[in-house]
Amino acid sequence: MLDVTGPVARVDATPEAVALIDQLVSMHGPVLFHQSGGCCDGSAPMCYPRDEFMIGDSDVFLGTLPDSTSTPFYIWHPQWEYWSHTHLTVDVVPGRGGGFSLEAPEGVRFIIRSRLFTDAEAEAMAATLT
């Protein structure tokens, strides 16, 4: 597993997503997020019980979300290469969640909102690589 945390946060969550994560943690125990980039729900972040999902060598740790248990967020390496220049924000919207994601029965689904890193953020990250 690659850890790309550094001076600039790569992932965050909206207050609505944090509230749902905290609700899911109270129901299922600690959770984690994984962004696979695969088919079906590949562009949707998936929320799993932390002890039921195996992180592999092809996963990248982006950081933790600001919920009450600091939920870790991982992304599949090829997906990270595509999104490495962006800041990701986990949000929640009405609708059916991914088939295996914990929010599916709640009538909502997690989504990713992204923005390009600012020049200052990109420079700060590059400085840590040299």
Side-chain angles (χ1 to χ4, degrees):
M1 175 197 66
L2 177 63
D3 181 336
V4 295
T5 57
V8 176
R10 292 183 173 273
V11 64
D12 200 359
T14 64
E16 296 81 9
V18 168
L20 179 57
I21 295 166
D22 284 337
Q23 176 186 337
L24 294 172
V25 167
S26 73
M27 296 166 60
H28 303 281
V31 299
L32 65 77
F33 276 83
H34 189 269
Q35 182 83 36
S36 72
C39 70
C40 305
D41 291 310
S43 61
M46 304 297 277
C47 182
Y48 300 109
R50 205 175 292 182
D51 61 353
E52 292 183 21
F53 189 86
M54 292 188 63
I55 299 303
D57 290 341
S58 62
D59 292 315
V60 177
F61 177 63
L62 292 187
T64 57
L65 300 177
D67 62 288
S68 63
T69 62
S70 299
T71 294
F73 190 102
Y74 299 88
I75 191 168
W76 185 50
H77 193 274
Q79 189 77 359
W80 176 77
E81 289 176 348
Y82 183 72
W83 283 2
S84 64
H85 60 286
T86 61
H87 178 272
L88 305 180
T89 301
V90 178
D91 200 358
V92 62
V93 296
R96 186 158 179 347
F100 298 108
S101 194
L102 290 176
E103 83 280 7
E106 306 305 316
V108 294
R109 64 188 180 99
F110 288 113
I111 62 167
I112 289 292
R113 299 190 189 281
S114 63
R115 67 167 175 83
L116 295 175
F117 284 119
T118 65
D119 290 343
E121 289 170 327
E123 288 174 14
M125 288 185 292
T128 62
L129 299 176
T130 57

